[in-house]
Amino acid sequence: MRILNWLLLPIGLMAGCQNQEAAPTGAAKGIPGQAWWKEGIIYQIYPRSFKDSDGDGVGDLRGIIEKLDYIERLGVTMVWLNPIYASPNADNGYDISDYRAIMQEFGSMEDFDELLAGLHSRGIRFVMDVVVNHSSDEHEWFVQSRSSRDNPYRDYYHWWPAEKGKPNYRYSLFDPKGEAWKYDSLTDAYYLHYFAQKQPDLKWENPKVRQEVYDIMKFWAEKGVDGFRLDAFQYVSKDTTFPKLPEGYEKEVIKYYGMGPGLHGYLKEMNREVLSQYDVFVVSEGAGSSFEDAHSLVDADRNELQMAYHFEGMDVGNSLDGYTLAEFKSVYSRWDSAFAKKGWLSIFLANHDVPRMVSKFGDDRPAYRAASSKMLNTFILSMRGTPYCYYGDELGMTNIGFDSIQQYQDIAARNGYQKALSEGRDMEQFLKELKFLSRDNGRTPMQWDSSRHAGFTTGTPWLPVNENHAQINVAAQEESPNSCLNYFRQMAQLRKSHLFLTYGDYQLLLPADEQVYAYTRTLEGEGALVLLNFSAAEAAAPLDKLPGFEERPLINNYPGLQVDASFITLKPYQAVLLPLK
Ligand code: NOJ
């Protein structure tokens, strides 16, 4: 038995990692479809929770500016911020009241300009969230629209005059009654809101609405933003006759609400009017309900969008029963093979709409938290697709796990609770599920140090800081060479310096193994074997089922690797990349 004992790059080398130094080795040129946004690593920041600079308990743009050096040292190349526009915050910024103004709590347009310049000077691009399936009901368009039936803005939203009778039922994702048509007595009509009542759906069928959106996008593109994330975009086009939908369709909302008849026309128009005029990339939240839908959004020859993210990966493990590695492998392998030849996807395991990655897919018990979080980051950063890394996951931040409904801030949790209550559901079970799955789990403040409120704010944080910040925080992890944070930095450098990790073919190995996720990434004769132990027990990967590899790992989340005549034995949650021979 041989124990390989390499600790990867010396930490001193990593400390100096800068984006500029990430010149890729290997086949750097001539890869068909090569693009900067494919080679990037996106860091998603929930601005409300990243760093509060003025003590009001809410994160802000100046807070992010303070942390630019931190962001740069992560090795990420793009930053995506959740919405920062003026908003009454019914859904934390996903309800916009002015698309050309910055939310007061977050700062000013000058702060935004400084942030953008600060990112750009560090070689980091900026991705703006564009929320245009709906606006806030406090947006001037809606204020006008609801004021009278003949207001020029009436047709900016979907109205159903009451004299036509009650409109056919539409399910709302956030409504306490689950009802998407809201009656408004002012004009004796119903308006449509697929999300909360304060998020009325814009009527994309109206060319004036589309022109408004393109003008807004141009406004930000002129300022220099490098990308857009189109929120809930698959829902914008609707059958405006609003026919009756089949019983139980709520369980397949994407199929019934998504990819409406006008969608591709709108995207082609947006591409012509905005996207083709700037060096920007656009990612669509949601990708329809089939591979064909997803391709129809992003295939290069269609001139629509560049990247999509699907929800199938997020559906894995969406219950207290957890998930099986077989499901997990199957989702990622199927999507990879569907996109192997064309199209481009995002790779992510968390965002602001789901629980913390390590609590959902890893193991947040103290003994395994660090190893499993490093292992999951190894997965994200070694798959094909553009990796999205959610703030705090570089530290292994965990779910907070609230017990009572009063602790939740999220509209989805609060309204979901009301709905469950009115349906007579088992509320104990509901709260148990919410504790694990709620979006607030992924929104707690960033853990900068072990001080009160984790160095996030000097005031009272808008959402409590996780008590485990005493152990899990940036300051402590900076000091420790083997921390999650330093591992993340190393893995990010590895991704950027080996183009096979971006563009290489993916091949699944050991498909039936219940503990080990094994695959290769190869490009033009270069490549790596990736071995990820998804379990808390040791796992043996049989050598006769693996391709030949060099024993010196490119990266390893443990100090050594046990290889004997027939097996590689992986420690709990061990992750290793081995160069292929
Ligand atoms: C998707 C966003 O990610 C989520 O946070 C938001 O609540 C809905 N869209 C509505 O905008």
Side-chain angles (χ1 to χ4, degrees):
M1 180 166 74
R2 306 185 295 283
I3 303 281
L4 307 178
N5 221 349
W6 290 294
L7 256 180
L8 321 162
L9 298 175
I11 291 302
L13 262 187
M14 289 159 36
C17 293
Q18 307 275 312
N19 284 317
Q20 297 89 303
E21 289 175 17
T25 61
K29 288 198 190 82
I31 297 164
Q34 215 171 337
W36 61 263
W37 42 267
K38 292 182 180 171
E39 288 168 27
I41 301 173
I42 298 186
Y43 187 57
Q44 181 194 346
I45 294 178
Y46 199 64
R48 226 178 165 66
S49 298
F50 196 60
K51 175 76 177 106
D52 173 20
S53 72
D54 59 6
D56 66 356
V58 173
D60 48 44
L61 301 187
R62 296 223 69 81
I64 302 174
I65 293 170
E66 278 175 30
K67 296 297 180 184
L68 280 172
D69 289 342
Y70 172 81
I71 296 167
E72 178 179 19
R73 279 197 56 217
L74 288 175
V76 299
T77 65
M78 290 187 248
V79 162
W80 155 32
L81 295 189
N82 295 97
I84 52 174
Y85 315 84
S87 163
N89 280 313
D91 184 18
N92 287 0
Y94 282 95
D95 47 320
I96 295 169
S97 53
D98 184 346
Y99 289 89
R100 289 183 178 82
I102 301 293
M103 190 190 302
Q104 250 171 18
E105 283 174 308
F106 287 176
S108 63
M109 195 57 93
E110 288 69 41
D111 297 332
F112 173 79
D113 293 338
E114 190 179 327
L115 173 60
L116 187 62
L119 288 166
H120 283 169
S121 71
R122 289 167 172 81
I124 300 173
R125 308 213 196 210
F126 179 76
V127 183
M128 189 96 188
D129 217 319
V130 177
V131 188
V132 286
N133 171 68
H134 44 269
S135 72
S136 162
D137 65 344
E138 296 183 31
H139 193 291
E140 187 55 26
W141 299 333
F142 190 76
V143 173
Q144 293 285 337
S145 183
R146 81 175 275 251
S147 66
S148 76
R149 286 193 180 190
D150 54 10
N151 185 281
Y153 288 91
R154 185 67 170 182
D155 226 21
Y156 271 41
Y157 296 87
H158 296 279
W159 288 100
W160 187 272
E163 62 273 17
K164 278 172 67 179
K166 212 172 174 223
N168 281 320
Y169 174 75
R170 283 288 174 287
Y171 171 74
S172 156
L173 292 144
F174 288 173
D175 189 72
K177 293 198 182 108
E179 171 62 74
W181 288 109
K182 165 118 175 101
Y183 178 69
D184 189 19
S185 58
L186 198 62
T187 54
D188 192 27
Y190 298 83
Y191 70 85
L192 184 75
H193 62 91
Y194 277 174
F195 293 90
Q197 293 177 3
K198 284 184 71 63
Q199 294 168 299
D201 282 47
L202 283 159
K203 188 168 177 185
W204 270 71
E205 290 71 21
N206 179 352
K208 284 195 197 141
V209 169
R210 304 204 295 275
Q211 201 50 56
E212 298 267 18
V213 171
Y214 306 149
D215 289 348
I216 290 163
M217 292 175 81
K218 282 186 205 161
F219 171 84
W220 293 100
E222 289 294 331
K223 278 191 164 287
V225 314
D226 307 286
F228 297 107
R229 172 223 185 236
L230 296 181
D231 181 74
F233 199 78
Q234 56 185 346
Y235 301 141
V236 297
S237 164
K238 285 143 180 128
D239 174 349
T240 52
T241 65
F242 296 105
K244 200 165 165 27
L245 297 174
E247 198 72 16
Y249 80 90
E250 299 95 309
K251 295 193 184 74
E252 291 178 286
V253 167
I254 294 180
K255 187 164 146 203
Y256 288 93
Y257 287 5
M259 311 300 291
L263 188 79
H264 289 297
Y266 305 155
L267 286 175
K268 286 199 190 310
E269 187 179 67
M270 181 192 287
N271 191 295
R272 214 169 42 239
E273 293 262 333
V274 189
L275 312 181
S276 58
Q277 314 295 318
Y278 302 90
D279 181 18
V280 290
F281 92 99
V282 184
V283 57
S284 148
E285 189 211 16
S289 52
S290 64
F291 295 142
E292 292 70 33
D293 283 348
H295 275 294
S296 74
L297 291 168
V298 297
D299 286 355
D301 50 5
R302 294 183 58 95
N303 292 326
E304 293 183 28
L305 304 177
Q306 283 78 28
M307 202 189 290
Y309 61 86
H310 64 84
F311 294 131
E312 227 187 303
M314 288 298 96
D315 292 344
V316 173
N318 245 351
S319 86
L320 293 176
D321 300 335
Y323 70 99
T324 64
L325 183 57
E327 290 172 70
F328 190 94
K329 288 182 191 180
S330 149
V331 168
Y332 288 97
S333 301
R334 281 188 288 106
W335 278 89
D336 184 87
S337 74
F339 277 71
K341 297 275 179 285
K342 55 179 181 157
W344 196 255
L345 295 173
S346 320
I347 292 287
F348 64 102
L349 289 179
N351 60 35
H352 61 290
D353 288 334
V354 291
R356 278 285 167 189
M357 166 179 98
V358 73
S359 300
K360 185 174 176 198
F361 294 109
D363 193 331
D364 61 11
R365 292 174 293 177
Y368 302 112
R369 186 192 52 79
S372 66
S373 124
K374 292 174 189 171
M375 185 277 289
L376 294 169
N377 277 323
T378 314
F379 169 74
I380 299 174
L381 290 162
S382 66
M383 284 294 282
R384 180 154 44 189
T386 300
Y388 285 58
C389 307
Y390 189 50
Y391 85 96
D393 281 351
E394 72 274 25
L395 308 176
M397 275 175 58
T398 67
N399 276 359
I400 190 161
F402 291 142
D403 289 308
S404 100
I405 192 63
Q406 282 73 30
Q407 291 170 293
Y408 291 91
Q409 293 281 340
D410 179 22
I411 188 167
R414 287 166 170 259
N415 287 356
Y417 182 85
Q418 290 308 325
K419 184 158 178 277
L421 208 57
S422 68
E423 288 166 352
R425 284 182 51 189
D426 173 349
M427 295 313 285
E428 207 178 306
Q429 179 65 16
F430 180 87
L431 281 175
K432 230 163 133 187
E433 285 169 11
L434 201 58
K435 181 173 183 167
F436 177 55
L437 294 170
S438 124
R439 308 198 296 180
D440 280 339
N441 275 317
R443 298 178 175 185
T444 59
M446 178 71 170
Q447 296 170 197
W448 294 105
D449 58 39
S450 60
S451 69
R452 196 158 177 254
H453 306 321
F456 163 68
T457 182
T458 52
T460 306
W462 73 278
L463 194 64
V465 172
N466 197 316
E467 276 174 16
N468 65 19
H469 73 273
Q471 296 79 43
I472 306 169
N473 65 67
V474 173
Q477 296 201 15
E478 289 284 7
E479 299 303 313
S480 154
N482 295 324
S483 65
C484 294
L485 175 60
N486 281 316
Y487 184 87
F488 179 91
R489 290 171 173 155
Q490 229 175 308
M491 191 60 214
Q493 291 307 316
L494 193 70
R495 168 104 187 173
K496 292 190 296 186
S497 56
H498 292 82
L499 278 182
F500 61 77
L501 290 176
T502 300
Y503 295 107
D505 288 338
Y506 158 93
Q507 181 166 12
L508 178 66
L509 308 165
L510 314 178
D513 197 298
E514 288 167 11
Q515 287 171 279
V516 181
Y517 193 171
Y519 49 91
T520 54
R521 299 296 317 281
T522 50
L523 180 74
E524 295 172 2
E526 259 197 303
L529 167 64
V530 182
L531 296 175
L532 308 171
N533 181 358
F534 268 70
S535 80
E538 283 198 347
L543 288 182
D544 61 353
K545 301 255 167 45
L546 300 176
F549 57 86
E550 310 276 355
E551 289 186 356
R552 188 188 162 96
L554 292 165
I555 196 160
N556 183 359
N557 66 348
Y558 273 80
L561 180 68
Q562 187 178 326
V563 183
D564 63 23
S566 325
F567 295 100
I568 297 183
T569 304
L570 298 168
K571 300 272 186 217
Y573 299 107
Q574 184 159 18
V576 66
L577 258 72
L578 298 161
L580 287 173
K581 268 197 177 140

